[in-house]
Amino acid sequence: MSEKWGFDTTAIHAGSAPDPATGARQVPIYQTTAYVFQDAAHAARLFGLREVGYIYSRLTNPTVAALQARVAELEGGAGAVCCSSGHAAQIMALFPLMGPGKNVIASTRLYGGTITQFSQTIKRFGWSCKFVDLDDLDALRAAVDDDTRAIFCESISNPGGYVTDIPAVAKVADQVGLPLIVDNTLATPWLCKPIEMGATLVVHSLTKYMTGNGTVTGGVIVDSGKFDWSASGKFPSLSEPEPAYHGLKFHDTFGALAYTFHGIAIGLRDLGMTMNPQAAHYTLMGIETLGLRMERHVGNAQKVAEWLEADPRVTSVTYAGLASSPWNATARRVYPKGAGALFTFAIKGGYDAAVKLVDNLKLFSHVANLGDSRSLVIHSASTTHSQLTDEQKIAAGAGPDVVRLSIGIEDAADIIADLDQALAASTA
Ligand SMILES: Cc1ncc(COP(=O)(O)O)c(C=O)c1O
């Protein structure tokens, strides 16, 4: 039925039928750890994955399940698994695909925390990452080797707001037989649906626009259900008997839902990066207004970016929605509703002026977050990207004179007035 619905109707209704026990119209917070089995046979069927149901909230919970259904529907996926944060979603997404000695190819333009996670932390699992400029499709092809198991990018990237040509990258992924994982946090399915463009998996930090008001941390992995996990023999956790689930063959048994079932039965069960039902409830409520908010976010971002670009105190603005951006043609083609609401600008006066600007803003909140209804600011080089080398910072668009803005849904005139007074104070 929901296939006929538009985006906003889906955002409100998908996954949330009235509660069968009480008729409650809003999805209740099922604040429970466990679920009473009907009898011993029922318990055995649930544990054997012969019947789908609730066992224990580390794996499944009805509030979280409603959110999974809603996000899967919005992204056009076969299934989704929620988890405790966006970073957890990235590890959970790679977990069934990787193994010691295997590598992922990731874009050079990523959130700084992801660059650290991929360049440092995953080494502890014996995994590695090759960073490639995904605008260079030949470089991407050349980076693929026998041990590569996935390609990873952000649709719109943090902090620069640069955009990825998802259809072009998906085409290469398809040619080399690898799954493409797209972090769609900054675009949200309102601006871009990576699965429709050929992506295999979509991950989100639900912490950002999806919830939309800075109240929770959460993540999700959405599976397109379209990748053939058995074709190449490279994904034995999904295609071969899985020793962590008494030899179950996930792809044979669950078909298009193999990856989703694996994510719950093994990913959440053994890694335990579970989303709590309160967080799921807040996120469900946030998603109800996603379309309205994103429309205002991108409208405001376009106005603010144009105003900044015309200001002599500003050296450059990265917003891909600007005609001057090298990514503008890609943005118009792949993200026709707008280029997101996160971008950076460089200020005359270098590091000192950038830091002073942050200290002088009054309406903007100086926080390590983005995608809030409030406008937010941060100096990435000294904070979110501080673990990176100077070279990585510049590649990620986080140089010393650069300030990152997450444009909120306040009145655009008020946002601009605040920037104006802070620029005056910092460049005087
Ligand atoms: C694009 C992107 N992906 C993933 C994350 C990680 O999300 P979380 O903070 O929910 O772990 C962030 C955090 O800022 C992000 O900006």
Side-chain angles (χ1 to χ4, degrees):
M1 186 175 160
S2 57
E3 271 172 29
K4 286 191 246 112
W5 289 341
F7 186 92
D8 293 318
T9 313
T10 307
I12 293 168
H13 290 279
S16 74
D19 179 48
T22 61
R25 190 61 198 87
Q26 189 50 278
V27 178
I29 302 172
Y30 286 91
Q31 195 68 51
T32 183
T33 309
Y35 307 84
V36 178
F37 304 121
Q38 291 155 14
D39 52 32
H42 178 226
R45 287 197 303 279
L46 292 176
F47 272 85
L49 292 182
R50 293 188 298 283
E51 184 176 323
V52 176
Y54 299 103
I55 298 176
Y56 187 67
S57 283
R58 174 158 29 88
L59 290 86
T60 44
N61 171 281
T63 317
V64 178
L67 176 59
Q68 288 169 168
R70 186 169 298 176
V71 180
E73 192 80 27
L74 286 172
E75 286 286 6
V81 182
C82 284
C83 50
S84 52
S85 69
H87 253 22
Q90 292 165 194
I91 293 294
M92 290 262 303
L94 290 173
F95 184 66
L97 316 178
M98 303 284 280
K102 308 303 175 207
N103 67 74
V104 53
I105 296 175
S107 169
T108 44
R109 288 181 283 274
L110 292 179
Y111 163 51
T114 304
I115 296 180
T116 307
Q117 188 187 51
F118 284 7
S119 61
Q120 304 301 330
T121 305
I122 65 170
K123 282 197 236 167
R124 309 259 180 116
F125 307 142
W127 311 347
S128 63
C129 179
K130 302 183 194 184
F131 293 97
V132 172
D133 178 350
L134 294 191
D135 285 342
D136 184 346
L137 299 177
D138 290 333
L140 171 59
R141 273 190 210 91
V144 175
D145 65 36
D146 287 346
D147 290 321
T148 306
R149 290 295 177 269
I151 299 169
F152 185 99
C153 65
E154 290 174 7
S155 47
I156 300 178
S157 70
N158 176 3
Y162 306 119
V163 296
T164 303
D165 188 345
I166 298 173
V169 175
K171 200 169 162 194
V172 175
D174 195 42
Q175 285 162 357
V176 297
L178 290 173
L180 171 63
I181 308 172
V182 177
D183 179 342
N184 204 26
T185 300
L186 266 58
T188 81
W190 195 76
L191 290 177
C192 142
K193 295 195 180 193
I195 288 173
E196 286 178 1
M197 299 176 192
T200 310
L201 303 168
V202 173
V203 293
H204 278 277
S205 166
L206 296 171
T207 317
K208 318 295 179 188
Y209 296 100
M210 295 289 262
T211 305
N213 43 29
T215 46
V216 303
T217 52
V220 67
I221 308 124
V222 185
D223 176 26
S224 63
K226 292 180 180 154
F227 196 85
D228 184 346
W229 301 112
S230 304
S232 65
K234 287 183 176 171
F235 305 100
S237 279
L238 294 158
S239 64
E240 302 304 316
E242 168 58 84
Y245 217 95
H246 46 75
L248 187 74
K249 285 179 143 187
F250 278 82
H251 196 203
D252 274 5
T253 311
F254 300 111
L257 284 171
Y259 188 92
T260 302
F261 270 87
H262 193 283
I264 294 168
I266 298 198
L268 289 180
R269 187 197 64 179
D270 294 349
L271 301 177
M273 301 165 167
T274 305
M275 171 177 270
N276 67 72
Q278 287 241 0
H281 181 76
Y282 286 129
T283 306
L284 280 163
M285 289 202 289
I287 288 176
E288 291 183 358
T289 57
L290 181 63
L292 289 171
R293 287 186 287 105
M294 289 309 290
E295 193 170 2
R296 176 67 79 90
H297 274 296
V298 295
N300 279 355
Q302 185 72 36
K303 284 182 197 155
V304 174
E306 283 172 10
W307 180 84
L308 282 169
E309 190 177 40
D311 195 294
R313 296 164 293 189
V314 170
T315 326
S316 60
V317 184
T318 60
Y319 193 53
L322 292 172
S324 58
S325 165
W327 284 275
N328 189 247
T330 308
R332 284 172 186 273
R333 180 166 44 83
V334 184
Y335 309 84
K337 285 158 119 181
L342 186 95
F343 61 86
T344 63
F345 71 98
I347 179 172
K348 283 188 185 149
Y351 184 95
D352 291 345
V355 170
K356 214 166 162 192
L357 176 106
V358 171
D359 285 342
N360 276 287
L361 283 164
K362 295 188 171 79
L363 179 66
F364 278 78
S365 304
H366 181 197
V367 296
N369 193 19
L370 61 94
D372 196 322
S373 48
R374 289 153 205 79
S375 289
L376 312 175
V377 64
I378 200 159
H379 179 242
S380 304
S382 58
T383 56
T384 52
H385 287 61
S386 58
Q387 306 297 322
L388 308 187
T389 63
D390 287 348
E391 201 180 38
Q392 283 174 323
K393 279 181 196 153
I394 289 170
D401 54 345
V402 171
V403 173
R404 185 187 80 179
L405 301 180
S406 171
I407 302 298
I409 59 175
E410 304 100 333
D411 295 282
D414 293 330
I415 300 172
I416 290 172
D418 194 33
L419 285 164
D420 194 22
Q421 64 79 22
L423 276 166
S426 55
T427 58

